[in-house]
Amino acid sequence: MKVTLNRFSLHGCTNGATTNRAVFLQKLKNISTFVFDVDGVLTDGNILVNETGEALRQFNIKDGYALQLAVKKGYNICIISGGKGKAMEKRFAGLGITDVFLEAGDKTILFKTYLKEKGISSDQVLYMGDDIPDLEVMKLAGIAACPADAVPEIKAVSMYVSPYTGGRTAVRDIIEKVLRAQEQWFDRRPDAADSGK
Amino acid sequence: MKVTLNRFSLHGCTNGATTNRAVFLQKLKNISTFVFDVDGVLTDGNILVNETGEALRQFNIKDGYALQLAVKKGYNICIISGGKGKAMEKRFAGLGITDVFLEAGDKTILFKTYLKEKGISSDQVLYMGDDIPDLEVMKLAGIAACPADAVPEIKAVSMYVSPYTGGRTAVRDIIEKVLRAQEQWFDRRPDAADSGK
Amino acid sequence: MKVTLNRFSLHGCTNGATTNRAVFLQKLKNISTFVFDVDGVLTDGNILVNETGEALRQFNIKDGYALQLAVKKGYNICIISGGKGKAMEKRFAGLGITDVFLEAGDKTILFKTYLKEKGISSDQVLYMGDDIPDLEVMKLAGIAACPADAVPEIKAVSMYVSPYTGGRTAVRDIIEKVLRAQEQWFDRRPDAADSGK
Amino acid sequence: MKVTLNRFSLHGCTNGATTNRAVFLQKLKNISTFVFDVDGVLTDGNILVNETGEALRQFNIKDGYALQLAVKKGYNICIISGGKGKAMEKRFAGLGITDVFLEAGDKTILFKTYLKEKGISSDQVLYMGDDIPDLEVMKLAGIAACPADAVPEIKAVSMYVSPYTGGRTAVRDIIEKVLRAQEQWFDRRPDAADSGK
């Protein structure tokens, strides 16, 4: 596990890796809500454009497993994307995710409204984004996280940079970290019978 | 060839690599049946979701060659997946695989039923999985194996971790190992005329 | 940032890296117009051929973000490709790109005509290509650039070889370099409110 | 350029790299005909299976450029594949390739018949394959070549192992080598006007 703690963190951490790591682990325990961007986070950032102009995306099954588990455990999963498409809607519905905001204009306004309606405070929220449209809104989240291939501007405001890239289990990685910190990941007892299916 | 032998093996092996390798090679000779998960094993774990919500998967032709050869040589090939879709059914039918269980709920029950109906003992079975839904059932197989990019929990119970990733010839690799151990791989005599087509 | 400056540059630079870099940075300030090849530049050079023979391409969302920003800032974006297809047309239209020339025969003639009609001089133009059909026309541009996986012939005439490959943010990289040189990239002031959405 | 010359070559070469390389370069000059397998050679060996069971393949544009050039220069291009599909037929037709044999059973018989009908001797033929169905037939060709990710059995009989993998310009690489050896590659004079479009 590689925990990359950023020197320019906006979260008041000192530069010491030990201190920051302790802060990060503490913050993980507060999270009740995940907000995910789609392109570059839940996908590798590529779209396959078909003859009708529809953009098809690749999703990762290991990410899907973690998302389903988080839903089952009662976490809020919120998707905010500037993109659109029936395919995305179907994928998220299939995973049991209901808070899906596509064709999002200003992500910050959406984010604030969502928290207000849900009655969630910002320190309960982990936001994973990868590119500039996520930059301002990420600063508002309790934990800002990003995939290994996020742009430098996003890494600069992220408390946690996953060793995994977008669409290649970065989402699985961060969900697992939160659920483990809260002893909600399936294998809190290695030999337990809860197989997680 | 990289044989990764796990220190926490459930198979009664000692920690010595030599002993374990000998045990592994001996176990390979017992295998008559392969059980494969689909996503992350026969594929790279990504699905391309189209406008109708159908998940399209990429399969590997080198894996396909080995699967066809194993079928022809009389091995049982069993596919167990939580996924579904016409595309998967067509792919496996095209390879001559008849024991295909999609939309699987509890893989352990399915596995036990399958062995009972076929009259196979567990030490005859090699199971390759990659993620938590495979964890409990893999413990029941004579050989538990996984691709290089399986999750840590699966690697921890696998006797063999392939150097190849899912959908990128991990399946070919393990089939070849079994068939070679049993002198059923095409090139038991390097210059033989059986070209394997 | 890796700036690869070619010893055989056609642009009159000396071999000294410092001098060349200074020349390169100066030239970046002149650019008002980007010309992009499609296959291998805006894509990874692979096409997925479907049953009707249509070639489907993968485009990158981070490239898309940079293209949209450049359009919004008033830069000319010109696409010249020997390929064709409704999917490409739809993708570029969706990004607000209007100067799209598909099924291009001689790229040099097209290029010259385009510059003449737009009233642009060649030193205002950055051309990014990756393969031999781009070779002659690239020599006419103020800056010739290419992705990391361009063919050697193209690298030999490129002033800038991106560290990123085609379809994997090489386009984003070069657009960002130009816009930064001209203080048009979103984060000219790191804490500014212009989130770039 | 990495030229991997195999110690167990079937072509009568001595083991000395210099001698072999000289032999290889000499053999390149005899080639008038290319035979290519599809899966794993002209593609990366993966197929995307859609709902109707059709296998869709990814082809590389840089490979396509070299194939088109070879056709234009009068070389025979012959495709032999065990696979099938309208998409493949359309792709090859689009490149001007007419000798396409899909759903091939015994590749050796097909190969011999093809040479006889065309009046070609085996030393004029370069065959690039990647897997066991190509093994016997490759031994009959003047030059046996393979992509970097061919199976070990194929590498063992290949005079040339490309540094590039299947579907990722291995085909471009070998065509370029032959055409350069015969001074037919576009840039025999670096500044020539024949842009190769």
Side-chain angles (χ1 to χ4, degrees), chain A residues 39-40 44-53 57 82 104-105 130-133 135-136 139 149-151 153, chain C residues 48 50 52 54 56-62 65 86-87 90-91 167-168 172 176 180 185-187 192 195 197:
Chain A
D39 292 306
D44 67 357
N46 295 301
I47 53 172
L48 182 73
V49 181
N50 73 11
E51 308 92 316
T52 66
R57 289 164 170 87
D130 77 313
D131 203 355
I132 290 163
L135 184 61
E136 294 307 313
K139 296 176 183 171
D149 55 345
V151 301
E153 295 88 343
Chain C
L48 181 73
N50 72 12
T52 67
E54 174 113 13
L56 306 185
R57 288 163 170 88
Q58 271 198 331
F59 294 99
N60 185 278
I61 294 289
K62 289 190 179 84
Y65 176 78
K86 278 277 174 213
K90 298 230 175 192
R91 172 63 181 160
R168 301 293 180 265
R172 162 72 163 248
E176 187 176 330
R180 282 190 187 278
W185 190 248
F186 88 103
D187 65 350
S195 76
K197 175 62 213 173

Side-chain angles (χ1 to χ4, degrees), chain D residues 12-23:
Chain D
C13 306
T14 72
N15 284 347
T18 314
T19 309
N20 272 355
R21 179 160 180 165
V23 171

Side-chain angles (χ1 to χ4, degrees), chain D residues 12 30 35 41 45 49 64 75 89 110 122 133 140 149 151:
Chain D
N30 296 331
V35 182
V41 173
V49 182
Y75 293 87
E89 292 171 27
L110 244 167
S122 62
L140 305 178
D149 54 346
V151 301

Side-chain angles (χ1 to χ4, degrees), chain D residues 13-44:
Chain D
C13 306
T14 72
N15 284 347
T18 314
T19 309
N20 272 355
R21 179 160 180 165
V23 171
F24 177 57
L25 291 174
Q26 188 55 48
K27 279 176 175 282
L28 286 174
K29 293 185 182 166
N30 296 331
I31 302 304
S32 69
T33 303
F34 295 90
V35 182
F36 294 111
D37 176 34
V38 175
D39 292 305
V41 173
L42 280 157
T43 79
D44 67 356

Side-chain angles (χ1 to χ4, degrees), chain A:
Chain A
M1 189 187 71
K2 292 184 286 180
V3 179
T4 304
L5 290 158
N6 199 286
R7 283 172 298 163
F8 308 104
S9 171
L10 303 177
H11 300 276
C13 306
T14 72
N15 283 349
T18 314
T19 309
N20 272 355
R21 180 162 179 165
V23 171
F24 177 57
L25 292 174
Q26 188 55 48
K27 279 176 174 283
L28 286 174
K29 293 186 180 167
N30 295 332
I31 302 303
S32 68
T33 302
F34 294 90
V35 182
F36 293 112
D37 176 33
V38 175
D39 292 306
V41 173
L42 280 157
T43 79
D44 67 357
N46 295 301
I47 53 172
L48 182 73
V49 181
N50 73 11
E51 308 92 316
T52 66
E54 173 113 15
L56 306 185
R57 289 164 170 87
Q58 272 199 331
F59 294 98
N60 186 278
I61 294 290
K62 289 191 179 83
D63 283 353
Y65 175 79
L67 287 163
Q68 278 185 310
L69 184 62
V71 166
K72 197 161 63 177
K73 297 275 185 176
Y75 293 87
N76 299 308
I77 306 283
C78 175
I79 308 283
I80 303 182
S81 169
K84 64 176 174 177
K86 278 278 175 211
M88 273 202 280
E89 292 171 28
K90 299 232 175 191
R91 171 64 180 160
F92 298 132
L95 293 169
I97 301 172
T98 51
D99 302 336
V100 178
F101 304 95
L102 305 183
E103 302 187 71
D106 188 321
K107 291 189 176 185
T108 302
I109 293 171
L110 244 167
F111 180 85
K112 286 180 178 172
T113 307
Y114 180 74
L115 264 62
K116 195 169 179 182
E117 283 182 4
K118 287 273 181 181
I120 306 163
S121 69
S122 63
D123 65 318
Q124 292 174 273
V125 183
L126 183 146
Y127 189 112
M128 182 173 265
D130 77 313
D131 203 355
I132 290 163
D134 303 306
L135 184 61
E136 294 307 313
V137 61
M138 284 177 72
K139 296 176 183 171
L140 305 178
I143 296 178
C146 69
D149 55 345
V151 301
E153 295 88 343
I154 294 294
K155 287 184 177 175
V157 300
S158 290
M159 174 165 245
Y160 179 70
V161 180
S162 173
Y164 299 97
T165 56
R168 301 293 181 265
T169 73
V171 165
R172 163 72 163 247
D173 176 50
I174 196 63
I175 292 177
E176 188 176 330
K177 282 205 162 27
V178 169
L179 269 61
R180 282 191 187 277
Q182 301 183 18
E183 298 192 343
Q184 294 290 320
W185 190 247
F186 89 102
D187 65 350
R188 60 196 180 280
R189 291 164 296 144
D191 299 313
D194 54 339
S195 76
K197 176 58 213 172

